[in-house]
Amino acid sequence: MAFQVDKNGNISLVQGDSGQLVIDGISTDKNYTVYFAVQDKNRKPVGDEIYVSSNNYASVVFYITGDFTDLLTVGKNENCAVYYYGIKICDSESDLEDTLILGENDIGSINTITVYPKKVEGI
């Protein structure tokens, strides 16, 4: 399993690994566009936002590539690095934009991505 997600939606992964992130609990009343974005500790975006259509399903899957997680760097003298991510559902017809709260969190909580250094290069 390339990504580990805890009950609060916090992710742990190894830099350069690919994986899937499943987001549940999306309303099925519309075909929403669901966005995934990552920020560093200074709130600077890392990479481009990734988006998928819900197709009126309650769950979506984000396929996160190794090229994307390679952007999540870990300093040479660090055991890991912490990044932050958010999920937003949008509907252009109604101008709806709703940031999802993942896991057992409240509105002020921050979902983290803990990144461990790459262990092997691979393909």
Side-chain angles (χ1 to χ4, degrees):
M1 176 183 231
F3 295 177
Q4 293 179 345
V5 183
D6 71 15
K7 68 180 181 177
N8 290 319
N10 298 310
I11 302 169
S12 297
L13 61 89
V14 174
Q15 180 190 11
D17 282 4
S18 59
Q20 298 177 15
L21 179 60
V22 178
I23 305 300
D24 297 316
I26 299 169
S27 178
T28 59
D29 63 334
K30 295 183 180 181
N31 181 18
Y32 293 101
T33 302
V34 185
Y35 293 86
F36 169 84
V38 177
Q39 297 178 341
D40 66 15
K41 64 184 176 184
N42 298 313
R43 296 187 189 171
K44 180 181 174 191
V46 177
D48 295 326
E49 289 188 359
I50 301 169
Y51 62 91
V52 296
S53 294
S54 70
N55 295 316
N56 298 83
Y57 288 110
S59 297
V60 296
V61 179
F62 287 101
Y63 297 95
I64 313 297
T65 66
D67 287 342
F68 186 88
T69 67
D70 252 344
L71 300 173
L72 307 175
T73 59
V74 180
K76 290 188 185 255
N77 296 324
E78 296 178 334
N79 292 329
C80 63
V82 177
Y83 291 82
Y84 307 96
Y85 78 95
I87 304 289
K88 183 177 271 192
I89 62 169
C90 299
D91 174 45
S92 60
E93 292 178 13
S94 65
D95 288 331
L96 169 79
E97 293 193 32
D98 186 16
T99 300
L100 298 182
I101 299 170
L102 303 177
E104 300 176 6
N105 291 317
D106 59 30
I107 197 162
S109 298
I110 299 173
N111 291 105
T112 63
I113 302 175
T114 302
V115 181
Y116 295 93
K118 185 184 293 190
K119 295 174 175 41
V120 62
E121 187 61 42
I123 54 175

